[in-house]
Each structure stands twice: as structure tokens, then as C-alpha cells.
Amino acid sequence: MSFNTTNEAFQSAMSLVLGNVSDQNQINALPLLKLLFCVYLPETAKLITNYQLKYSNERNSVSSDLTCQKRVIVQPDKSALHHTFYNIPQEAIRYTGIEVRCCQKSEEFPHGLAFRQPTSSSAMLSVKEGISELLRLALHAKPVLPVIVAGKSMANGKAIRIYRLELSAIQHLSKMVNNGIQQVITDKLQRVFQKKVA
């Protein structure tokens, strides 16, 4: 994935580590995850909907096997800062129990991704089924708005944890902002689903 910017200092100041990966299946899945999910940055209380992913190699000094990891860095798209939402407290972000597992591509999982529902330890959904389920939850009367969280979502091996934004916890923001956040999160899922990326 290419990364271009005309203002490296700006991008560096805005960047935040999403997580570290060493599994090639997970690395291959990241572009699709970028299409699917907005990212919450806990250190700055921001939700970003347009961003780039930049990778840097580093040695895993903690592990004795010295495996090479890729640090995945989130950098907001400078041309779309109006799609960044501010002042979203960490208590508004809650774990859903849903995980996205990175696996070998197969006929059942053509994108190398499988969704695991919190109600079942074994049932895995394809990307198409997973998006369909997330859309159903997002369009519910009390919506579940899925996001990934920098520093947390990729902290569990090959699984990527899916969190949700709780609208009732951001009532200090205007109704227009709340509606905008809900719309942009669901639009991301719908866009991928309608374009049959899944």
C-alpha cells in the first residue's frame, strides 16, 4: 500500500500506532479492514474515518525468537480532516466480543478473514456474512457502531478485536455530530457490501 504526503511533519504529529503484526495473513487483510472500519485514537479522543496505513519493520525484542514484526501506523488523511470527530471519551468505546480472525484464503474465506461472533466460540462467518451482521446491528434501534481501536484491537495474536461506539456516552456532542458519526460508520460498511468487495 503506497503512502504519499506533502506534509511529513503534520502526518508524523498525527500518527498513532495501530498495533504490531508478524503474521502475513494479517498483513494481507489490513487493506480490507481499512475499508470496513473507522479507527478510534484513545490518546487523542478522536475517531477518524479516512486514513492511511504505513508500515515499518522492527525486531521483536521481547520475544526470544527475534521475529520481525511490522508496526502498523495510522495516519489521518490530510485532505479529509472534516471526517475526524473530536472529544470522544474512552468510556464511549466498548468491546463487542466480536473478533476478526486472519486465516489462509480459501473458498469459504476468500479474503483471508473470518468473523467470530461473541455468542459462539466456534462459528465463523465469512466477510460477507460478517458485514451483513454488523450492518444489522448498526441499523438497529440501539445501534452497535463497530470501530477498531489503536493500540488495543490488534493486541491478541491473529485476532483483531472489534469495539463499538456507544452513542449514549457522547451526548455532550450535538445531535448533528452524533448523527454524522453514526452515518459515516454505517456508510463504510454499506459501501463495501454494496460494491461486493466481500
Side-chain angles (χ1 to χ4, degrees):
M1 185 181 300
S2 63
F3 176 77
N4 298 305
T5 179
T6 57
N7 191 333
E8 291 293 340
F10 169 85
Q11 293 289 2
S12 178
M14 293 288 286
S15 68
L16 196 72
V17 175
L18 179 61
N20 294 319
V21 295
S22 56
D23 180 75
Q24 189 60 46
N25 291 323
Q26 193 174 40
I27 294 168
N28 293 341
L30 286 172
L32 181 55
L33 288 172
K34 175 179 174 288
L35 291 178
L36 285 171
F37 298 108
C38 300
V39 173
Y40 177 68
L41 309 179
E43 283 83 353
T44 54
K46 295 175 186 173
L47 181 75
I48 55 174
T49 65
N50 285 293
Y51 55 92
Q52 302 291 335
L53 295 177
K54 187 177 180 180
Y55 309 106
S56 65
N57 291 320
E58 62 178 30
R59 286 283 177 185
N60 184 2
S61 57
V62 178
S63 175
S64 58
D65 61 8
L66 294 178
T67 57
C68 185
Q69 292 188 325
K70 285 185 180 290
R71 173 174 284 186
V72 184
I73 300 169
V74 175
Q75 295 186 315
D77 188 334
K78 185 173 179 257
S79 65
L81 291 182
H82 56 288
H83 286 162
T84 297
F85 297 93
Y86 300 85
N87 301 317
I88 298 176
Q90 291 192 38
E91 55 266 28
I93 306 297
R94 300 171 189 176
Y95 183 44
T96 61
I98 299 171
E99 291 182 346
V100 179
R101 298 269 174 179
C102 299
C103 56
Q104 291 276 354
K105 290 185 178 181
S106 64
E107 187 175 339
E108 186 178 6
F109 304 111
H111 296 283
L113 287 177
F115 284 73
R116 185 189 68 79
Q117 299 185 85
T119 54
S120 172
S121 59
S122 58
M124 304 296 282
L125 303 177
S126 68
V127 172
K128 184 174 183 179
E129 293 168 329
I131 296 174
S132 180
E133 176 66 12
L134 289 176
L135 273 172
R136 185 185 69 78
L137 295 171
L139 297 172
H140 196 266
K142 187 179 179 183
V144 173
L145 303 176
V147 298
I148 52 179
V149 179
K152 287 188 176 182
S153 283
M154 297 175 65
N156 187 23
K158 296 180 182 180
I160 297 167
R161 298 173 181 149
I162 307 303
Y163 291 76
R164 66 183 174 89
L165 174 65
E166 180 63 58
L167 287 177
S168 64
I170 55 171
Q171 294 303 311
H172 60 286
L173 301 177
S174 71
K175 186 175 181 180
M176 184 176 72
V177 170
N178 279 8
N179 289 341
I181 292 173
Q182 181 174 351
Q183 189 67 50
V184 77
I185 291 175
T186 54
D187 279 354
K188 252 177 135 49
L189 295 171
Q190 287 178 320
R191 194 177 304 119
V192 174
F193 194 81
Q194 290 167 355
K195 286 185 177 180
K196 303 187 188 307
V197 173

